[in-house]
Amino acid sequence: MRNVRRHGEMRVINFGADVAEPISLFESVASSSVELGRGSGEVHVYCVHFDANAQIGVHPTGYCQLFLVVQGSGWAVGGDGRRVNLEPGQGVFFDLGEIHPKAAIPA
């Protein structure tokens, strides 16, 4: 991963929006991601950046997914069709195959 550099025994990871790649799947708008890590099994870790009107459209998860809001606010809809608004420090967990969209809430 080109966003990782060694610092002695540690690996320093840059996951800022400046190194993020646009997300083009699922009718995504104004969203990008940075790969942070990948395991040998079903472990994938990404940081997703949303602009003010960003969204990732309806799609099934390819693996279990943890969506955490660290800045701004957003929303997600789970497989039951219920929307939940999320503030910094909150998140949602999607099961494998769960149909869901997610988006930012403009400030």
Side-chain angles (χ1 to χ4, degrees), residues 38-63:
R38 180 178 296 265
S40 60
E42 290 299 318
V43 177
H44 311 274
V45 182
Y46 289 85
C47 176
V48 177
H49 294 274
F50 282 168
D51 292 341
N53 293 309
Q55 70 176 22
I56 298 176
V58 177
H59 65 284
T61 60
Y63 39 85

Side-chain angles (χ1 to χ4, degrees), residues 22-100:
I23 299 172
S24 58
L25 300 171
F26 317 120
E27 299 180 9
S28 297
V29 175
S31 55
S32 58
S33 69
V34 179
E35 183 179 6
L36 301 179
R38 180 178 296 265
S40 60
E42 290 299 318
V43 177
H44 311 274
V45 182
Y46 289 85
C47 176
V48 177
H49 294 274
F50 282 168
D51 292 341
N53 293 309
Q55 70 176 22
I56 298 176
V58 177
H59 65 284
T61 60
Y63 39 85
C64 295
Q65 196 172 100
L66 181 61
F67 178 64
L68 304 174
V69 176
V70 296
Q71 183 177 2
S73 57
W75 59 262
V77 175
D80 62 2
R82 298 164 113 180
R83 176 178 159 156
V84 61
N85 290 339
L86 301 164
E87 298 297 326
Q90 295 182 312
V92 295
F93 180 85
F94 299 109
D95 284 316
L96 175 65
E98 187 169 357
I99 304 295
H100 70 287

